[in-house]
Amino acid sequence: MCGIVGFWSDAQVCYEEAVRTIVSMRDRLRHRGPDDAGLYVDADAGLALGQRRLSIIDLSPAGHQPMVSACGRYVLVFNGEIYNHHAIRDELERKGQAPAWRGHSDTETLLAALVTWGVRDALEHLNGMFAFALWDSQERVLWLARDRMGEKPLYYGQIGRTFLFGSELKALRLYPRWQSEVDRQALCQYFRYGYIPSPRTIYRGILKLPAGCYLEVRDSGRPVGVPRMYWDIRAVAKAGLSSRLDDKPELIDLLETALREAVVSRMEADVPLGAFLSGGVDSSLVVALMQMASSQRVRTFTIGFWEAAYDEAPHARRVAQHLGTDHTELYLTYDDALRVIPNIPEIWDEPFADPSQIPTFLLSALTRRHVTVSLSGDGGDELFGGYDRYHLALRLNAYRRWMPTVARAATGYVAAGLSRVLEGIAPVHPRLAIRVATYLRSGADVARAPGIDCLYKNLISHWKAPERLVIGANEPRSLLDQPEVGPNVNHTLERLMWFDQVTYLPDDILVKVDRASMAVSLESRAPLLDHRLVELSWRMPASVKFRDGVGKWALKQVLYRYVPRDIVERPKQGFGVPIGSWIKEPMREWAESLLDDSLLRNQGFLRSDLVRQMWHEHLAGIKDRQFHLWDVLMFQAWLEANGF
């Protein structure tokens, strides 16, 4: 696991200046790699590469980066893990294509594969989470690539006559000629979703390399076209839908085998390893399979909150006791959580408003005190239909189609009237009633009324009209506005799962986990995102993902083989914190300073009257605006931290 960074100017650079620059940028990522650091500078080509290393496999100097190929032509900087690197080594050796190995790191294996097979073919061989840059010093070509599901980040862009790339934006900002301008269109998307979807970032001209893509850069830092896909989840979905497996008991056996292989492959490490455990289906299943494969007690970690509505620790404790893990839990107060908030802009680099970022960071910090690698259950909801909003969308879509127009409208107005009550008791779905009301009231003709894509966009939106909030901006189209982009999925549940797999999962969930864990130098691995498991999930019929009103049915059948049903059978619980009450009381002074009317007007990004109105409504108890306000506060905190 590492942090990588580099730049390529279109002219020769002074070697000493290039070294100073790349060292400064590289060491800004020390948290991603505290164990080692390296650099490579080709002054004639105007190129510099830097890397910070968190040593996981092969702790010796043989794993040092940047790594130069045996022939001296190629240089690699790599962030992540290649879980099938032993199989790749075996194949290279079997075909007589292996170099004289210097060590046993997966970095060396990856470099040999890239040199031997070329970038595109090598990518198709890899099973892992990764982002890398490969420099071909002979052809003067730079290749960037990112893993299939988007677990590891990679940013890039042009600043003047220089091409920059890196694991985090904070490293790019240290380039001496950095110019920063807020992308107001991206800001609209942020207020819609609570995160900025790929490929945009908060900075105009700086992009995220999309998941499953690679980019060729030539001519002293000029990308050749746009990023190209080597693995397309849309194609995966189409292929799976055309080759469905039968809904038979043997399918659960097949799923269990795939899950076990994914978990075991992610347990290789030359450092201490453990797992996050919430007591829910996904993390409990990962831990159960880990314990089954381990001769020692698996280390598991949970944080608890004194507020009962947010506390998952008792559920995790029961699972840990049943499986016999070496379990650690820590109960936190709001003071512990409040201490994290000033660091959020620094950790996440661009506006990011998923409140579960706070407990995720605290859990990572707890875990890092004991281990260096931790497995998680991320991906289970998106692959196997676990979110409550999927099931709500299914019911609402069916309800709207048979219900007469007049009845829909009446129900819509009733739902709108109940919005305050429902918001208070269902923080997982803020403003849910008003969203439902809008959908039910829309259109006199069912055939012309918004479809499932529109409904889903309504359900997941934070601000439904963000262009009214962001001054001088128009909201770009998203995938939810382009139904022709997605696979032709007939089942509503699977269509919504696909949307989340290409948007919410890589741009919210995985961003949250990567930044939180790497901020404390902890590597997090997600077995459920093994691409073979993703491909299998698309071959499985919808009936085993969602059955009798129950999501993740297939995963639960595997879990029940290891953990009794009564231990893990409970309503889904969000991993959150009581933001609404905090900004009214202990955080009120901090929030008021960021929401100051004159400050908002001087900055010129947001309409101060809208923000102040919501702030007043929240403080007065007129409406629960915690999620609207958290979006604004996270943007305002980011502006303050970055000198805007």
Side-chain angles (χ1 to χ4, degrees):
M1 185 61 64
C2 306
I4 63 174
V5 68
F7 65 83
W8 189 7
S9 179
D10 68 352
Q12 291 184 351
V13 296
C14 169
Y15 180 82
E16 290 76 14
E17 180 183 350
V19 168
R20 284 195 298 271
T21 298
I22 197 65
V23 167
S24 174
M25 297 170 70
R26 178 199 70 188
D27 289 351
R28 192 66 182 84
L29 300 176
R30 189 181 187 280
H31 54 283
R32 297 189 75 95
D35 298 331
D36 190 19
L39 60 86
Y40 172 90
V41 174
D42 185 337
D44 291 339
L47 176 130
L49 305 174
Q51 186 257 9
R52 294 287 324 195
R53 184 185 182 201
L54 176 63
S55 301
I56 302 294
I57 297 175
D58 192 347
L59 311 186
S60 76
H64 178 78
Q65 297 183 41
M67 186 173 288
V68 181
S69 64
C71 63
R73 173 177 169 177
Y74 299 94
V75 185
L76 175 69
V77 285
F78 159 58
N79 170 30
E81 301 290 346
I82 307 301
Y83 302 120
N84 65 333
H85 69 104
H86 293 298
I88 292 174
R89 283 201 177 205
D90 291 343
E91 183 173 350
L92 289 169
E93 291 171 354
R94 189 169 60 252
K95 295 179 178 179
Q97 298 171 323
W101 302 112
R102 292 167 283 183
H104 65 273
S105 73
D106 55 346
T107 305
E108 188 178 7
T109 309
L110 171 60
L111 179 56
L114 292 167
V115 170
T116 303
W117 297 328
V119 173
R120 176 59 188 258
D121 287 348
L123 284 167
E124 293 180 353
H125 278 75
L126 303 180
N127 180 356
M129 58 175 185
F130 55 83
F132 67 76
L134 179 72
W135 169 242
D136 181 341
S137 62
Q138 180 175 305
E139 295 293 327
R140 292 202 172 186
V141 179
L142 180 70
W143 300 88
L144 305 181
R146 194 173 175 209
D147 65 70
R148 291 171 174 84
M149 296 301 290
E151 293 183 70
K152 293 290 106 182
L154 192 57
Y155 297 90
Y156 71 95
Q158 204 83 28
I159 300 294
R161 298 165 61 182
T162 301
F163 179 85
L164 300 175
F165 72 88
S167 297
E168 295 184 17
L169 289 168
K170 59 175 62 71
L172 274 57
R173 287 199 298 263
L174 289 182
Y175 185 71
R177 287 175 287 281
W178 170 263
Q179 298 172 345
S180 57
E181 179 184 353
V182 172
D183 184 337
R184 292 177 186 251
Q185 278 63 45
L187 190 57
C188 265
Q189 292 184 307
Y190 162 73
F191 281 105
R192 167 75 70 180
Y193 302 111
Y195 59 87
I196 298 174
S198 297
R200 292 179 184 267
T201 71
I202 191 60
Y203 297 114
R204 186 186 300 275
I206 304 298
L207 303 172
K208 304 179 182 85
L209 185 65
C213 287
Y214 65 99
L215 180 68
E216 180 182 355
V217 185
R218 289 181 178 264
D219 301 324
S220 299
R222 299 294 186 272
V224 179
V226 297
R228 286 174 278 177
M229 284 188 171
Y230 66 90
W231 190 81
D232 181 1
I233 200 165
R234 179 174 182 268
V236 168
K238 289 177 64 177
L241 293 170
S242 65
S243 58
R244 286 289 208 193
L245 298 168
D246 293 332
D247 184 354
K248 296 181 178 179
E250 294 80 10
L251 188 56
I252 303 303
D253 297 331
L254 181 64
L255 175 60
E256 181 180 13
T257 298
L259 286 164
R260 187 185 303 115
E261 291 176 355
V263 168
V264 171
S265 68
R266 283 156 179 78
M267 292 177 66
E268 180 186 3
D270 295 334
V271 292
L273 175 142
F276 300 143
L277 179 60
S278 69
V281 172
D282 306 328
S283 65
S284 297
L285 180 54
V286 168
V287 170
L289 294 171
M290 289 177 70
Q291 191 60 73
M292 180 63 65
S294 177
S295 59
Q296 299 178 332
R297 296 172 67 195
V298 171
R299 296 297 307 268
T300 53
F301 303 91
T302 301
I303 58 170
F305 288 94
W306 295 112
E307 295 89 345
Y310 298 89
D311 186 25
E312 294 185 307
H315 308 296
R317 191 182 311 128
R318 292 187 68 195
V319 174
Q321 289 171 346
H322 176 79
L323 294 174
T325 69
D326 182 358
H327 190 58
T328 300
E329 66 179 37
L330 177 66
Y331 268 79
L332 301 166
T333 67
Y334 71 78
D335 286 334
D336 298 309
L338 294 181
R339 281 192 286 271
V340 176
I341 292 174
N343 299 321
I344 285 177
E346 163 76 9
I347 295 170
W348 274 273
D349 258 348
E350 58 181 345
F352 186 75
D354 183 338
S356 63
Q357 61 201 134
I358 297 172
T360 301
F361 173 81
L362 292 168
L363 176 59
S364 297
L366 167 66
T367 304
R368 185 60 177 94
R369 297 175 200 165
H370 304 275
V371 300
T372 309
V373 177
S374 183
L375 274 61
S376 78
D378 293 313
D381 289 309
E382 293 83 1
L383 266 62
F384 293 94
Y387 289 125
D388 292 339
R389 60 178 180 264
Y390 296 156
H391 316 141
L392 176 64
L394 285 173
R395 294 194 297 270
L396 283 177
N397 202 42
Y399 180 63
R400 193 181 191 284
R401 288 187 175 278
W402 66 258
M403 197 174 191
T405 302
V406 174
R408 286 203 312 271
T411 304
Y413 284 109
V414 170
L418 292 174
S419 61
R420 281 187 62 195
V421 176
L422 290 183
E423 284 177 0
I425 64 174
V428 175
H429 297 293
R431 305 171 304 280
L432 183 58
I434 201 67
R435 295 174 182 177
V436 172
T438 301
Y439 181 69
L440 290 173
R441 295 200 305 259
S442 61
D445 183 356
V446 174
R448 298 172 55 194
I452 189 63
D453 296 359
C454 180
L455 166 61
Y456 196 55
K457 185 174 181 178
N458 198 15
L459 287 175
I460 64 175
S461 292
H462 292 212
W463 294 72
K464 287 192 291 186
E467 67 278 359
R468 291 184 58 236
L469 174 68
V470 180
I471 298 171
N474 295 308
E475 184 182 5
R477 296 181 74 200
S478 71
L479 282 175
L480 287 165
D481 303 311
Q482 305 172 69
E484 71 280 359
V485 174
N488 185 19
V489 178
N490 292 325
H491 197 286
T492 298
L493 175 71
E494 292 185 312
R495 181 163 184 79
L496 302 186
M497 288 165 54
W498 181 83
F499 279 128
D500 275 350
Q501 288 174 26
V502 296
T503 56
Y504 180 66
L505 178 62
D507 291 327
D508 184 304
I509 298 297
L510 298 181
V511 168
K512 175 181 64 180
V513 174
D514 175 81
R515 302 308 186 279
S517 59
M518 292 309 298
V520 295
S521 305
L522 174 73
E523 177 175 297
S524 177
R525 300 175 178 177
L528 299 184
L529 295 181
D530 188 303
H531 73 275
R532 299 168 302 176
L533 192 54
V534 175
E535 292 165 356
L536 173 61
S537 75
W538 277 104
R539 295 192 64 200
M540 298 175 69
S543 59
V544 302
K545 300 169 188 172
F546 181 62
R547 178 175 294 181
D548 299 328
V550 177
K552 294 193 286 196
W553 184 86
L555 286 185
K556 291 178 179 179
Q557 304 318 299
V558 178
L559 176 59
Y560 296 154
R561 296 176 175 182
Y562 299 90
V563 181
R565 183 187 299 257
D566 65 291
I567 292 181
V568 292
E569 197 68 41
R570 60 185 174 90
K572 186 172 179 60
Q573 185 173 354
F575 193 37
V577 288
I579 290 295
S581 61
W582 286 359
I583 59 178
K584 280 185 177 181
E585 297 297 336
M587 295 166 54
R588 180 167 177 171
E589 183 178 349
W590 168 78
E592 186 66 66
S593 69
L594 292 175
L595 303 179
D596 178 75
D597 183 69
S598 60
L599 174 66
L600 291 166
R601 291 178 183 275
N602 289 335
Q603 290 169 334
F605 289 107
L606 307 179
R607 280 184 53 187
S608 62
D609 57 331
L610 288 180
V611 174
R612 295 298 301 179
Q613 177 186 346
M614 290 197 172
W615 182 228
H616 168 72
E617 291 174 347
H618 187 74
L619 291 179
I622 298 171
K623 288 186 178 180
D624 183 352
R625 296 294 192 184
Q626 60 176 305
F627 297 98
H628 285 115
L629 291 169
W630 189 249
D631 294 341
V632 175
L633 287 167
M634 287 296 93
F635 174 61
Q636 291 296 105
W638 179 84
L639 285 177
E640 182 180 64
N642 288 278
F644 284 92

